[in-house]
Amino acid sequence: MSVGIRDVARAAGVSTATVSRALGRGPVSDALREQVEAAVRATGYRPNLSARRLRSQATQTIGLIVADIRNPFFTAVSRAVEDAAYQAGMRVILCNTDEDAEREALYLRLMQEERVTGVIFAPTRATAQAMRAGSLDFPVVLIDRSGPPGAHDSVVLDNAAASAALVDHLVAQGYARIGGVFGSTSSTAQERRAGYEAAMGRHGLEPAARACAPNALAAEAEAGRWLAEDGRPEALILSNGLMLMGAVRAARTLALPIPGALALAGFDNEPWTELLDPGLTVIEQPVAEIGAQAMSLLFDRLKSPDQPVRKVVLSGRTVLRGSTRKP
Amino acid sequence: MSVGIRDVARAAGVSTATVSRALGRGPVSDALREQVEAAVRATGYRPNLSARRLRSQATQTIGLIVADIRNPFFTAVSRAVEDAAYQAGMRVILCNTDEDAEREALYLRLMQEERVTGVIFAPTRATAQAMRAGSLDFPVVLIDRSGPPGAHDSVVLDNAAASAALVDHLVAQGYARIGGVFGSTSSTAQERRAGYEAAMGRHGLEPAARACAPNALAAEAEAGRWLAEDGRPEALILSNGLMLMGAVRAARTLALPIPGALALAGFDNEPWTELLDPGLTVIEQPVAEIGAQAMSLLFDRLKSPDQPVRKVVLSGRTVLRGSTRKP
DNA sequence: CTGAAAGCGCTTACAG
DNA sequence: CTGAAAGCGCTTACAG
């Protein structure tokens, strides 16, 4: 019922090999190529990609495993990855782990079964540590998060510097009791926390960091608890855009005006952070660059498997807005 | 180099047929099944999905083609679709058309080449009109948008009723010069517009609708122009969440206080709409339900190909907030 | 329940 | 440049 390459060959009066070559980049005379193209149009032939992948042993597929697709940061990175992939004639399989190690293992297994060419992956800390180089059949580029040095290529933000910039700014504005709520699952949140603590130390201030799941609900709960305590912080730093939203919610619930009673700063320059009044001070990540660099690292790795491992560190941009004004 | 089913068979001392049956749901004795499972563990065997799909002629794959992945509405629907799909043992290929007819055609062709089991699709109006039933090799369920009656199963919002609810509310609040900016590419935006116009008529008011691309930038420009005119509307309805954001931006730029100088209402209850002060009045769509219903329609269609075409119409929920308060 | 064999729809050495 | 033939890695009638 479905039309196959044999039907096209018959219609064009050539062999299936010639049809295959005409559709690919094989050497075919112009005359036969035109006959084949006409036959393809006449029959409505569409190649079967499963067959092509099986036979050619090339899936032209890259896997993209992100930690939370609800996080616009990952949506934006995905778009950049997909643009670069399609430009190179590759498709991408997008998977979402919800920061869950089991689902990470599941999707990594799926990638093997799909025989992907390579994977771009934002792993949890646990998985990043456990994942040894060479244990998978394809190269892996870590994104947003890194693992043990030298294990995998990666592209990450200069997290410590970004956190420090936020602390420096808050201190310059006159804040001293600056708290931080950081995600509990990623190396990146750890680095942001370390950067925060180091910067606080440099200013002779006492760091006060807490951790929770890197989503809006958990951050709202955590920030809500903290802000209801005596000696609550007068400024709060959150380690991603979802958590920042949770903190805004918590402040609203407690009727704490921003920045009157609480200064707020965090990561990811999502459109809504500018829409609030006052806007939120954030670190903007070069999302398109992150995705493009990841694909580029992956292609380089495919070309030169034995090349030394590379880590690309990109700088964030500090976007100052009203939420951190002097009280 | 890569371990195949033959290696497992050899290691387990059985035929490849038995390995295949043990991994699938074929009839195998418990003893052999255990031998096979041990051999799979020992060899680290992972089935090749391309081969499996080719041979079994069942890809267990559904295609999900959305119009704009930056729109959180589609992200949310995607999650629901994926949950339902994975529960049924199917994977999903997610594609993003950016409301572009050429990319729609491209992805539809890709779906044919992938030999997908079925497709869930949010088409532009142009494509919805052109897409005749039965012209594709797989069933299609339309989502968020519908086409000519009777062509494809679909699940949509009761768009006209939702728009009317917004108009009724604004009129009740005392607004009369109520304008609307609606997306130019989808049947859904058309229906929202029609619902708006009908409701205005019912109230004896003059409708004033404009159209633009259904994204933030275009809506910001369109609303900005309109709001700078003499006789500008005192209330504005936008046909999706992205456009609503654009309108907020435009009002900010023109220093028009909401709702003091401009009342604002629209579609999609995105988290940020509640965070603004005042919050935005919106129609909340049952996103999870939309995704789940689409999968359900698709499965039913696969089971009963000749069943009459069904259209599931879901109701929105009106969320009243400060942006439409009496001026 | 089990195995030998055919074949899914392609691509690609191998000859010519 | 072109074709006949082999084979990618599986699954599934067909026998037994």
Side-chain angles (χ1 to χ4, degrees), chain A residues 124-149:
Chain A
T124 60
R125 229 162 9 122
T127 296
Q129 294 298 331
M131 212 172 36
R132 290 171 323 164
S135 67
L136 267 5
D137 298 329
F138 41 76
V140 174
V141 172
L142 265 26
I143 199 173
D144 178 57
R145 306 157 179 212
S146 61

Side-chain angles (χ1 to χ4, degrees), chain B residues 142 144 152-158 289-290 293-294 296-297 309-315:
Chain B
L142 265 26
D144 177 58
H152 298 282
D153 295 313
S154 59
V155 33
V156 295
L157 195 76
D158 189 342
E289 179 80 5
I290 291 173
Q293 281 283 348
S296 170
L297 285 182
V309 168
R310 293 193 286 172
K311 178 173 187 170
V312 174
V313 180
L314 301 174
S315 292

Side-chain angles (χ1 to χ4, degrees), chain A residues 31 75 103 135 166 171 201 225 237 240 277 319:
Chain A
T75 316
R103 295 186 61 174
S135 67
L166 255 22
V171 171
R225 260 194 304 279
I237 292 174
N240 77 26
D277 190 20
V319 181

Side-chain angles (χ1 to χ4, degrees), chain B residues 157 159 163 182 188-196 239 267 285:
Chain B
L157 195 76
N159 290 305
S163 279
F182 301 91
T188 277
Q190 288 302 107
E191 291 173 16
R192 289 175 189 176
R193 176 184 187 142
Y196 152 83
S239 73
F267 284 79
Q285 299 199 61

